[in-house]
Amino acid sequence: EYTLVTATTYEVRPAEGEIAVSVEITFTNTTPDPEGQFSVFPEILLALHDTAADVSATDAEGDLPVAVAVDERGVNVAAIELREGVRYEETAALELRYVLADGADPQLRVRPSVIVFPAWSFGTAGTVAVALPGGYEVRVNGDPLSESAGRLVSGDIPDPSRWLAVVTA
């Protein structure tokens, strides 16, 4: 299979009515080459928030193509095309960025008076950090986030598929 380790940051911008999300990704192909073939991953797939906009990806060399579509299960998925396919025991480092904007969904509010959003991690292991402006009373439901250096942080998340925190401020 593979390992996909992420560090996700949610930068809350109530004055602009948005949250800037950045996901630092380290992807390693751990699938041995089948006999007479190569194990290659040409893209990375990540489930995004339903309202993700302005989705982009970069690596050390520049922009990478990203296609966003809803899959057969109804999940919003970003397909990041890698510059070169990642072969067995190779690693690719990149960053995915997108914006979550205030809208009609009551589970996603980004206003000077109230902030509500689901924060999650990605991949096979990760961390989450939430940067909020000062002056808010914060409550977290679901998985824990603790305060550190003016940010909310998760610590290591060994199974991102089972981790979710709803941040209310």
Side-chain angles (χ1 to χ4, degrees):
E1 293 288 329
Y2 59 85
T3 61
L4 196 152
V5 179
T6 62
T8 305
T9 301
Y10 294 85
E11 184 182 333
V12 182
R13 302 172 181 164
E16 291 88 2
E18 67 182 24
I19 301 168
V21 182
S22 65
V23 185
E24 295 177 21
I25 300 166
T26 303
F27 177 87
T28 304
N29 178 348
T30 59
T31 303
D33 292 336
E35 191 171 321
Q37 300 177 24
F38 293 110
S39 167
V40 179
F41 285 84
E43 65 182 1
I44 295 174
L45 304 176
L46 291 178
L48 302 182
H49 294 81
D50 289 342
T51 59
D54 300 329
V55 180
S56 64
T58 58
D59 65 8
E61 295 181 37
D63 293 340
L64 296 170
V66 181
V68 179
V70 176
D71 73 6
E72 65 279 351
R73 298 167 297 163
V75 177
N76 199 33
V77 176
I80 306 165
E81 187 178 320
L82 300 171
R83 199 164 302 283
E84 291 183 18
V86 179
R87 293 189 52 193
Y88 177 54
E89 295 185 334
E90 290 182 343
T91 297
L94 56 139
E95 183 174 21
L96 175 73
R97 293 181 171 274
Y98 61 94
V99 173
L100 299 174
D102 183 62
D105 182 355
Q107 298 301 312
L108 179 61
R109 295 282 190 227
V110 190
R111 301 173 182 176
S113 60
V114 66
I115 298 162
V116 179
F117 70 97
W120 66 62
S121 185
F122 300 85
T124 58
T127 61
V128 168
V130 177
L132 286 160
Y136 285 92
E137 182 180 319
V138 180
R139 185 178 77 229
V140 177
N141 293 322
D143 288 298
L145 290 169
S146 56
E147 191 167 342
S148 175
R151 304 172 90 173
L152 299 173
V153 295
S154 66
D156 291 336
I157 302 170
D159 186 358
S161 68
R162 298 184 161 282
W163 193 94
L164 173 68
V166 177
V167 178
T168 304

